[in-house]
Amino acid sequence: MAEEKHMREAIRLSLEMMLAGKGGPFGAVVVKNGEIVGIGYNQVTSTNDPTAHAEVVAIRDACKNLDTYQLDDCEIYTSCEPCPMCLGAIYWARPLRVYYGNTKEDAKAIGFDDQFIYEELEKKLNERSIPMLPMLRNEALKAFEAWQENDQKKEY
Amino acid sequence: MAEEKHMREAIRLSLEMMLAGKGGPFGAVVVKNGEIVGIGYNQVTSTNDPTAHAEVVAIRDACKNLDTYQLDDCEIYTSCEPCPMCLGAIYWARPLRVYYGNTKEDAKAIGFDDQFIYEELEKKLNERSIPMLPMLRNEALKAFEAWQENDQKKEY
């Protein structure tokens, strides 16, 4: 079954790259028309990049290879259910669907508590553990007005 | 006021880089001990990277400059309330606090509907507009078991 072959590649990356010291045990591949067009594995600690989760790396790789910022007609295979950051990245990249192996409960059991972030997202801005404070909205709005008036803009 | 100076730099980036054709009207800076240690602006369309939002770019830049994957004792100034992807990235980077200019309602008013993603995150996996399908969990779990058994691992 083609889908299982792709998932096994994501799983292979999750195990081998972790054992190679690249980062946590997470891998992902992006597939288009049955072909792998991007790969990723966690490399947070080896590249000093907290955003270098498997899915984000795979999305960036696929977009670079396909010369686009939208993963139309693509599928993402990830060895673990995406964290909120990766899920956000997936929505911006807009693939057709996502297959995942481990669940976020499995991730929590080995020390990766994505659930904490999911719960924080549901809280009001001023009740979060990382405070989020408004400032200078009237000045910031000017860039938004300029965006609306800009007839050269490339929407995404 | 130092905080306002930093926010004005984020706002300057949001406007000038958008007008320069880099992407949407969003800018961010990371500050540590009163100094800017990383900058970012939206470059989704100019770099073909759907994850290249201002906050993600600024976090990656600051981590590279500080040679770390954790933004201890840092503040993030962003010209707009973060989307779910960026909020996730912020939680993984763990700064002290976040200041923001425009709200997500302001973003929606000019066509950036982060609220849609926030709503999707609250849905069950099988009710989302991008379907998320489980596959081969038992095989994927092996990498998690190997992580737990790995006494060389670098936790994050």
Side-chain angles (χ1 to χ4, degrees), chain A residues 81-100:
Chain A
E81 189 181 332
C83 81
M85 175 181 72
C86 291
L87 200 55
I90 288 165
Y91 274 95
W92 290 119
R94 302 185 180 91
L96 286 176
R97 65 186 67 86
V98 177
Y99 296 96
Y100 66 93

Side-chain angles (χ1 to χ4, degrees), chain A residues 52-73:
Chain A
H53 285 200
E55 299 93 324
V56 165
V57 174
I59 289 169
R60 298 180 79 221
D61 188 45
C63 285
K64 186 178 171 189
N65 293 334
L66 297 172
D67 201 26
T68 176
Y69 50 89
Q70 292 287 271
L71 293 179
D72 297 332
D73 303 321

